């Protein structure tokens, strides 16, 4: 079979990851002919097309070689890797993408006084993630019953079909609504770019490398902030010491105020209110934290 010279990326057709994934691809310079109701979207500028599918199908499509890349939750990717069987093509997490964050957690009824995994021995735990839960229990030497459910896992304890659950948690609202509480975290999850462990050795491999570089640039910009502030010269050292990580700040004179300086610093990551308070206490004034739109080093 002649290798395809276009790249295919699988992503969720309709769900939590759909909009942020499309937005990220757009920022990487990828746009697609609008046919969102279809399975396939043709890429306009670059030779990269989209497959719109259920998130659970994404790892399997990559493993079968139907597509080269996929945007999917780490929870779904790792569950696939644990349950796919040795003959399946091994998959890799190529990049974490910073959206769709959640946790795969054990949750127990409010009255269950949970302190450690050993207390789950002999209990039934309902989950849609039997692979991840099974591995977690095995690692801890806990012999518990795993009840696999496709959905509505959170109602299993009330129905009497399980004593605890293992499910995704974000705000925790669903657990509270079902009189459950989070007891232990198995996996911190977010959307990731998944691909085969061995990248194709043709043009598609080169295209993937190019895409990864663009993605790194987009993620770096998205997580960068420009911090602007004024500081008296005598407080400069103290203020500089408190700046979040990044390259050396730029200093500019302030017209008519020789003892004041304007400081400009690129920060890798969010600058918290607490950090700003500390910097202010050190003597800084007129502070601005700005998002970075584009960056060319
Ligand atoms: O149709 P398809 O199969 O594609 O969609 P889906 O219904 O399986 O997936 P979807 O869109 O619900 O989730 C896609 C991915 O988003 C998941 O695989 C996770 O990686 C990620 N994600 C992030 C979440 C959540 N947050 C989340 N809160 N996925 C599910 N939930 C559910 C959770 O299962 C529970 O029922 O929301 C509830 C908990 O939310 P809180 O806020 O009440 O704690
Ligand atoms: Zn799904």
């Amino acid at each position: 079979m002649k290798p395809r010279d276009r790249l295919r990326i699988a992503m969720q057709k309709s769900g939590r990851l759909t909009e942020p994934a499309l937005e990220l691809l757009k920022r990487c310079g990828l746009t697609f002919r609008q046919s969102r109701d279809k399975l396939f979207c043709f890429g306009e500028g670059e030779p990269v097309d989209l497959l719109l599918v259920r998130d659970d199908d994404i790892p399997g499509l990559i493993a079968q070689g139907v597509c080269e890349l996929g945007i999917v939750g780490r929870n779904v990717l790792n569950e696939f890797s644990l349950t796919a069987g040795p003959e399946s093509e091994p998959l890799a997490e190529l990049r974490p993408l910073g959206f769709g964050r959640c946790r795969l957690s054990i949750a127990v009824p409010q009255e269950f006084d949970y302190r450690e995994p050993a207390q789950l021995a002999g209990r039934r735990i309902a989950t849609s993630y039997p692979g991840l839960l099974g591995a977690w229990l095995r690692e801890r030497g806990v012999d518990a019953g795993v009840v696999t459910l496709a959905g509505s896992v959170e109602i299993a304890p009330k129905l009497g079909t399980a004593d605890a659950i293992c499910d995704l948690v974000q705000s925790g609202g669903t657990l509270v609504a079902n009189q459950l509480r989070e007891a232990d975290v198995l996996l911190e999850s977010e959307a990731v770019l998944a691909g085969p462990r061995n990248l194709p050795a043709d043009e598609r491999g080169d295209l993937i490398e190019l895409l990864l570089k663009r993605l790194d640039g987009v993620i770096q910009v998205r997580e960068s902030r420009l911090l602007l502030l004024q500081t008296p010269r005598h407080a400069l050292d103290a203020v500089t010491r408190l700046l979040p990580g990044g390259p050396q700040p730029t200093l500019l004179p302030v017209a008519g105020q020789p003892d004041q300086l304007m400081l400009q610093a690129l920060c890798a990551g969010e600058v918290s209110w607490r950090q700003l308070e500390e910097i202010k206490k050190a003597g800084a004034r007129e502070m601005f934290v700005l998002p970075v739109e584009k960056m060319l080093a």
Side-chain angles (χ1 to χ4, degrees):
M1 191 174 82
K2 183 179 169 294
R4 277 181 282 112
D5 51 4
R6 295 179 70 86
L7 206 63
R8 280 188 199 152
I9 306 179
M11 57 166 271
Q12 199 183 17
K13 182 178 170 67
S14 153
R16 289 168 208 261
L17 306 182
T18 307
E19 287 310 319
L22 277 176
E23 175 63 27
L24 183 69
L25 294 175
K26 197 168 127 197
R27 281 179 171 263
C28 289
L30 302 179
T31 51
F32 302 91
R33 216 172 280 164
Q34 284 301 326
S35 58
R36 290 278 297 280
D37 52 329
K38 303 246 172 66
L39 173 73
F40 188 81
C41 279
F42 189 77
E44 288 178 321
E46 310 280 351
V48 181
D49 304 320
L50 273 190
L51 275 186
L52 299 172
V53 294
R54 289 202 55 186
D55 67 343
D56 318 75
D57 295 337
I58 293 173
L61 290 169
I62 304 171
Q64 291 160 33
V66 176
C67 56
E68 289 73 30
L69 299 172
I71 296 178
V72 67
R74 180 179 293 136
N75 47 302
V76 173
L77 175 64
N78 291 6
E79 178 68 18
F80 177 84
S81 297
L82 283 168
T83 50
E87 70 289 349
S88 175
E89 178 75 27
L91 301 187
E93 178 178 321
L94 300 176
R95 293 291 185 278
L97 299 176
F99 58 86
R101 285 186 203 278
C102 57
R103 311 176 288 282
L104 181 67
S105 293
I106 300 281
V108 296
Q110 293 290 358
E111 61 279 7
F112 189 147
D113 178 25
Y114 182 94
R115 288 174 314 270
E116 53 171 4
Q119 289 170 275
L120 296 169
R123 312 265 189 162
R124 297 158 304 161
I125 311 171
T127 190
S128 308
Y129 296 88
L132 284 162
L133 174 59
W136 186 82
L137 291 169
R138 263 194 311 282
E139 274 167 29
R140 284 153 188 79
V142 177
D143 190 11
V146 174
V147 181
T148 305
L149 299 176
S152 303
V153 170
E154 66 278 0
I155 59 170
K158 227 182 277 170
L159 296 178
T161 52
D163 306 300
I165 67 165
C166 168
D167 199 9
L168 299 175
V169 181
Q170 201 217 348
S171 65
T174 303
L175 295 184
V176 171
N178 288 281
Q179 289 92 47
L180 298 169
R181 71 186 170 81
E182 197 172 356
D184 226 328
V185 178
L186 278 67
L187 175 76
E188 295 281 351
S189 187
E190 64 187 284
V192 302
L193 184 72
R197 203 169 291 165
N198 306 309
L199 296 186
D202 51 31
E203 297 101 280
R204 290 172 301 162
D206 300 339
L207 211 50
I208 292 175
E209 298 285 354
L210 181 75
L211 190 62
L212 288 177
K213 256 188 230 148
R214 286 195 193 174
L215 200 55
D216 289 339
V218 167
I219 291 171
Q220 194 189 2
V221 164
R222 190 183 62 194
E223 290 173 0
S224 294
R225 298 287 179 275
L226 188 67
L227 175 63
L228 296 176
L229 57 83
Q230 268 194 39
T231 173
R233 281 180 188 275
H234 68 80
L236 181 61
D237 277 353
V239 168
T240 310
R241 243 178 279 128
L242 290 168
L243 295 179
Q248 279 296 87
T250 310
L251 300 171
L252 302 164
V254 178
Q257 297 184 61
D259 63 328
Q260 290 283 320
L261 285 169
M262 168 96 182
L263 182 149
Q264 172 185 305
L266 189 67
C267 305
E270 192 57 71
V271 185
S272 70
W273 285 109
R274 191 179 297 249
Q275 284 170 311
L276 287 177
E277 289 292 345
E278 292 289 314
I279 297 170
K280 189 173 173 200
K281 257 190 231 152
R285 293 289 175 272
E286 308 284 338
M287 294 191 275
F288 297 91
V289 181
L290 307 172
V292 176
E293 179 70 30
K294 286 196 173 68
M295 202 157 74
L296 209 68

